[in-house]
Amino acid sequence: MSKDYSEILTHLGEIRENYFNSISPPVIQSSNFQFDSIQQFREFILHESKEHVYTRGNNPTVDILRKKLAALENTEDALVTSSGAAAISCTLSAFLSQGDHVVCVEKPYSWTYKLLTELLSRFGVTYTFVDGTDNQQIEAAIQPNTKLLYLESPNSLTFECQDLTFCAKLSKKYKLISIIDNSHASPVFQNPAEYGIDIVIHSGTKYINGHSDVVVGVICGSKDHIQRIFQGPFMTFGTNISPHDAWLVLRGLRTLPLRIQQSDATAHKIVEYLIDHPKVKKVLFPLHPSFPQYNLAKKQMTGCGGLFTVELKAETKEQVYNFVNGLEKFLLAVSWGGHESLMIPSLVFHDMPERPDSPIPWTIIRFYAGLESPDYLIADLKQALDQI
Ligand SMILES: *Cc1c(COP(=O)(O)O)cnc(C)c1O
């Protein structure tokens, strides 16, 4: 972490005299807002994304959050959506038309993959998935009709990174809109707009809210880009967050730097413990020197967060079952970025009825270190590894 977030997290966007000088902003639980005059009615309609007209568009509680998130990502504006998936689908559908092509990193978040391959493809949008670790492959995939470059750096399972400086320059050269899913690093550890990436998306469900109680998405970008998304899919699909959820996210956001640094420090310690363990074949963690793109990761991110992926030295599925069942402090659940430590064994996606086995080996488990102490989590891993 290299920046001072004090002003943004404590004061920015909070006009306390508007609400009885309360320290915590109120939940403005109102669907609509009254105008003083026809003149003002007109003006507000013309600037609906900034003013308070109707809560599907903007709302005072949500607006505080928008201002803070834009400042955290160092962009002109931001939108908050009902989920990370909504942030991704609104952004892509705002800029794509029939006949357009997208260059996207391979193995993106599962619903991003579905958006391209199953939904936008029905409307005549084509796509090429590329190995995002290979700059030449990204450039070679660009076609005359390519409109967007979609990045996810690092991704949230195997942590492949893209060279953001290169991708931003490439996008300028070919007049593409560059978009990144920055959920893994959060605005605390990586700010892609500072490298020239146009639009930065988050699943705010993860670190930004951070308490495993709200599903929320974030879109950060220039005024023009945000306006286009707002006037298009955001308002048309109706993907706003509720004022109450926005209030919870504001509350979560206050401690974002503290939380993510704690997860990060804990994950570093756990990775050090696991990396030489005789029952562990491999550990993936972008800021460990053993990571293939360690230098790039270190250049672009000031920290890493709590995600790491472990490959067990297991000969049988039984051993993986024993290990996973032996863990008492890591909960078996999707998602990450909350207070609680989690795991997703690839084994979940093997031997499923009527589904092909996952291409990811069953020896692999994705972990998230939450806010518990490193010693507490390492003790749990130790006793479970002994059961393999
Ligand atoms: C969770 C996640 C999403 C989707 O966000 P939701 O808030 O669950 O809709 C998108 N990208 C990444 C990398 C994620 O981990």
Side-chain angles (χ1 to χ4, degrees):
M1 195 176 90
S2 52
K3 287 184 199 154
D4 188 339
Y5 298 105
S6 310
E7 179 67 20
I8 297 173
L9 295 179
T10 314
H11 298 298
L12 182 78
E14 313 205 33
I15 314 172
R16 296 193 169 101
E17 67 260 33
N18 284 359
Y19 32 84
F20 308 102
N21 297 317
S22 69
I23 298 298
S24 171
V27 182
I28 306 286
Q29 191 71 37
S30 185
S31 56
N32 46 354
F33 299 86
Q34 136 194 9
F35 311 105
D36 295 342
S37 61
I38 286 189
Q39 180 61 21
Q40 195 192 43
F41 202 155
R42 279 196 196 114
E43 262 171 43
F44 278 29
I45 292 285
L46 286 174
H47 303 101
E48 191 167 354
S49 81
K50 291 277 122 208
E51 303 297 350
H52 305 129
V53 176
Y54 189 53
T55 287
R56 173 151 47 79
N58 197 21
N59 168 283
T61 309
V62 177
D63 203 47
I64 300 171
L65 187 56
R66 288 176 59 191
K67 291 197 166 84
K68 287 184 193 291
L69 291 164
L72 285 173
E73 280 294 12
N74 209 353
T75 56
E76 288 175 350
D77 203 354
L79 287 172
V80 179
T81 57
S82 54
S83 68
I88 296 164
S89 53
C90 279
T91 303
L92 268 67
S93 51
F95 296 101
L96 292 169
S97 300
Q98 185 177 29
D100 288 341
H101 174 255
V102 179
V103 175
C104 179
V105 290
E106 64 189 0
K107 298 182 278 164
Y109 181 69
S110 51
W111 295 97
T112 307
Y113 181 83
K114 280 201 181 225
L115 173 70
L116 286 166
T117 60
E118 292 182 25
L119 200 148
L120 291 172
S121 61
R122 283 170 37 215
F123 300 91
V125 172
T126 56
Y127 49 84
T128 306
F129 292 112
V130 293
D131 175 355
T133 68
D134 181 346
N135 288 348
Q136 276 155 10
Q137 219 189 98
I138 299 175
E139 183 159 13
I142 296 171
Q143 305 175 5
N145 59 338
T146 304
K147 192 78 174 277
L148 291 184
L149 176 59
Y150 190 91
L151 313 173
E152 208 178 277
S153 182
N155 89 8
S156 54
L157 175 64
T158 40
F159 315 121
E160 286 86 355
C161 299
Q162 290 93 60
D163 182 334
L164 300 184
T165 308
F166 172 83
C167 288
K169 279 194 190 138
L170 196 70
S171 300
K172 299 269 171 323
K173 181 173 164 192
Y174 292 95
K175 297 193 167 56
L176 315 178
I177 297 168
S178 51
I179 301 171
I180 185 168
D181 181 333
N182 198 32
S183 306
H184 178 281
S186 95
V188 173
F189 287 148
Q190 178 171 269
N191 299 119
E194 293 172 5
Y195 293 84
I197 301 296
D198 295 313
I199 298 175
V200 183
I201 291 176
H202 289 277
S203 167
T205 313
K206 314 294 163 57
Y207 291 120
I208 286 174
N209 180 59
H211 290 73
S212 305
D213 48 16
V214 178
V215 174
V216 55
V218 178
I219 310 168
C220 299
S222 69
K223 278 189 184 128
D224 288 351
H225 284 144
I226 292 296
Q227 188 59 19
R228 174 136 173 199
I229 298 163
F230 179 86
Q231 288 295 345
F234 181 84
M235 283 300 276
T236 317
F237 297 157
T239 53
N240 61 292
I241 187 178
S242 74
H244 184 257
D245 277 357
W247 186 90
L248 284 168
V249 179
L250 267 171
R251 174 165 145 158
L253 192 66
R254 309 267 187 212
T255 54
L256 169 64
L258 292 174
R259 289 184 284 103
I260 197 168
Q261 284 174 89
Q262 166 92 17
S263 275
D264 183 68
T266 302
H268 270 91
K269 285 192 184 147
I270 296 176
V271 168
E272 284 303 337
Y273 167 75
L274 291 175
I275 207 131
D276 295 321
H277 194 285
K279 305 224 169 114
V280 170
K281 193 163 166 196
K282 198 157 99 184
V283 182
L284 286 175
F285 187 63
L287 289 186
H288 191 273
S290 63
F291 188 70
Q293 292 179 289
Y294 174 64
N295 287 328
L296 180 66
K298 209 168 72 166
K299 187 178 138 218
Q300 297 182 160
M301 297 193 290
T302 53
C304 194
L307 289 176
F308 57 93
T309 294
V310 175
E311 185 174 356
L312 293 175
K313 252 185 217 156
E315 260 102 64
T316 65
K317 289 181 183 168
E318 212 50 45
Q319 290 175 310
V320 179
Y321 277 107
N322 288 345
F323 172 67
V324 168
N325 293 336
L327 283 167
E328 290 166 5
K329 309 303 178 192
F330 290 84
L331 306 178
L332 260 176
V334 298
S335 198
W336 43 276
H339 52 285
E340 76 291 6
S341 291
L342 300 170
M343 62 176 157
I344 305 181
S346 170
L347 189 50
V348 172
F349 305 99
H350 289 255
D351 310 323
M352 265 183 157
E354 293 167 42
R355 273 229 212 166
D357 282 351
S358 160
I360 299 157
W362 46 261
T363 44
I364 284 183
I365 302 171
R366 203 275 310 272
F367 284 93
Y368 166 70
L371 302 182
E372 306 90 334
S373 78
D375 290 347
Y376 175 88
L377 295 173
I378 288 170
D380 193 36
L381 285 161
K382 183 175 182 310
Q383 61 81 22
L385 282 164
D386 288 342
Q387 299 184 40
I388 292 185

